[in-house]
Amino acid sequence: MNNNLVSSKIKKITRNDVEITINYIDSVGTPLAEPVTLQGHYNDNLDMPWKTIPGYVLSSVQNFQQTFIPNPDGIYLIYFKQMAAPVVVYHRNTNGELISDPQYIYGELNKDYQAKPLAEAERFLVDYPKKSKGQFSSQVQEYEFVYNTIPFVKYEIKKDLFVRTNENVDVFEEPGSKNPLQLPLPHDSTWRVYKALKETYSNTIWYNLGGSTWIPSSENISSVILKQYSEEKKAIDSPLSANANNISYIYQIIDSMPINRSAKILYYSDQNVTAWETPYGTMDNHRYFGGQEVFVTRLIQLDNNSVWAELKDGYYIESKYLNL
């Protein structure tokens, strides 16, 4: 018998290297993904490469088979388009009340989503889901973010309270702000505190240094030392220039300049600046109100870099409160 003929007959019977093409289509025959071609030996098990297609669910299989048997038409996995259920996000205050309308997030089935807090209230967030992302499904999914909508309460401060900086300190236009102003407070300078607010969601205290000038008591403000100067007035006698009177100062005078000009108090009309008998010396009950015009006779600079204006009426105020 011819050996080649026997070999040919064996190959036809065993049918090695069978190829099967798997097609992924929708209900009208439109391809949804690239076909996959599988190779295997005749009658071996065929592991179907199922696919999850966002926005669709598998509805039927055409020409289904579980073994490698020749199939020139291939296998067709037919998907049906289906919208996913929405993701609902609630934003509430600490009393459980909604602070905005619920947010509805829509998307295709099995696609990823991310629930997020309100951008404008994110800094007041006090409670939120440990996991706020997932995939759209046929079931409604809900998330809740909780905010402290009363972020600040009044904080009582001692009378005549000041802050002294040991390094440059960032300044903010309003309490709770994340964006500092362009110029920081210089190191080794002293500032009066007019009022203070405390964050209800932390231990941070915000000190108002006049107008729209605020500094927090945390992080890089750790170098700010709070003092009550009425308790530590240890005056140092300083020799002044020839055209000045002998007055006691806490700091040495390093410069003095006559100016003799009018200036206005840089405050709102309902705010006021305290008058001093001497810089950092004794405070007087006299007040200068925002917009009030005063006459400045000279400016003096102390060795802590603060600049004071001597007024015609004999009182002193820091020059930062004047439109010089």
Side-chain angles (χ1 to χ4, degrees):
M1 181 179 292
N2 191 320
N3 289 335
N4 290 335
L5 179 60
V6 173
S7 176
S8 176
K9 287 182 179 179
I10 292 174
K11 286 182 180 179
K12 287 181 182 179
I13 294 172
T14 57
R15 298 178 185 270
N16 292 331
D17 302 322
V18 177
E19 289 189 352
I20 303 293
T21 300
I22 316 298
N23 302 280
Y24 305 89
I25 62 174
D26 64 12
S27 57
V28 294
T30 305
L32 299 177
E34 289 293 325
V36 174
T37 299
L38 303 179
Q39 291 183 337
H41 296 293
Y42 177 75
N43 221 28
D44 279 355
N45 290 333
L46 186 154
D47 293 325
M48 187 69 68
W50 308 104
K51 279 192 177 185
T52 298
I53 300 179
Y56 292 84
V57 291
L58 182 63
S59 62
S60 62
V61 181
Q62 185 176 322
N63 299 334
F64 180 73
Q65 60 189 70
Q66 293 179 297
T67 58
F68 280 94
I69 298 175
N71 177 3
D73 294 330
I75 300 173
Y76 287 84
L77 303 185
I78 303 171
Y79 292 79
F80 177 77
K81 189 171 182 63
Q82 180 178 336
M83 287 298 295
V87 173
V88 187
V89 184
Y90 299 99
H91 303 280
R92 303 182 186 275
N93 60 23
T94 51
N95 295 326
E97 301 164 334
L98 287 173
I99 62 173
S100 71
D101 293 334
Q103 291 181 321
Y104 291 86
I105 305 175
Y106 296 96
E108 295 180 346
L109 196 69
N110 301 316
K111 273 199 170 181
D112 295 334
Y113 68 81
Q114 172 77 59
K116 297 180 180 180
L118 295 172
E120 64 273 20
E122 190 171 1
R123 60 182 176 174
F124 304 131
L125 195 62
V126 293
D127 192 18
Y128 50 89
K130 291 183 179 179
K131 183 180 178 182
S132 58
K133 61 182 179 180
Q135 290 184 326
F136 289 101
S137 71
S138 59
Q139 301 295 320
V140 174
Q141 302 175 75
E142 297 179 326
Y143 294 90
E144 184 174 276
F145 294 88
V146 181
Y147 309 81
N148 186 347
T149 53
I150 307 177
F152 301 100
V153 293
K154 185 177 180 181
Y155 184 78
E156 294 295 331
I157 60 174
K158 295 180 180 180
K159 183 182 178 182
D160 301 336
L161 186 66
F162 290 78
V163 293
R164 177 188 296 161
T165 63
N166 291 334
E167 61 182 40
N168 290 352
V169 173
D170 284 336
V171 181
F172 300 84
E173 189 173 9
E174 60 181 2
S177 173
K178 301 297 183 183
N179 301 312
L181 300 178
Q182 184 176 3
L183 297 177
L185 297 182
H187 74 282
D188 197 24
S189 60
T190 306
W191 305 78
R192 181 182 177 184
V193 178
Y194 288 90
K195 60 182 178 181
L197 297 175
K198 183 178 180 180
E199 293 182 352
T200 57
Y201 49 92
S202 74
N203 293 321
T204 301
I205 299 169
W206 288 81
Y207 296 100
N208 178 257
L209 309 183
S212 298
T213 306
W214 296 82
I215 58 172
S217 63
S218 59
E219 298 177 3
N220 61 337
I221 304 302
S222 60
S223 60
V224 176
I225 304 172
L226 300 180
K227 298 286 186 182
Q228 189 161 0
Y229 275 76
S230 58
E231 298 176 358
E232 64 158 28
K233 291 186 176 73
K234 298 178 181 178
I236 301 175
D237 291 334
S238 302
L240 307 185
S241 57
N243 62 341
N245 298 321
N246 289 326
I247 305 174
S248 293
Y249 291 88
I250 292 178
Y251 297 98
Q252 297 283 337
I253 292 179
I254 61 174
D255 197 8
S256 175
M257 179 180 69
I259 184 171
N260 294 316
R261 56 167 288 190
S262 295
K264 284 187 177 182
I265 303 295
L266 290 176
Y267 260 166
Y268 296 108
S269 58
D270 60 343
Q271 295 178 316
N272 61 77
V273 177
T274 303
W276 295 73
E277 292 183 5
T278 60
Y280 301 128
T282 302
M283 299 177 69
D284 195 273
N285 291 328
H286 188 68
R287 297 286 190 272
Y288 299 99
F289 289 88
Q292 180 179 345
E293 190 170 284
V294 295
F295 191 85
V296 182
T297 58
R298 70 175 177 134
L299 296 177
I300 59 173
Q301 183 178 4
L302 305 184
D303 59 5
N304 71 337
N305 291 322
S306 65
V307 178
W308 291 75
E310 181 180 357
L311 306 183
K312 188 176 181 180
D313 57 14
Y315 291 113
Y316 291 80
I317 61 174
E318 284 197 76
S319 63
K320 63 184 179 183
Y321 300 120
L322 299 171
N323 67 336
L324 293 174

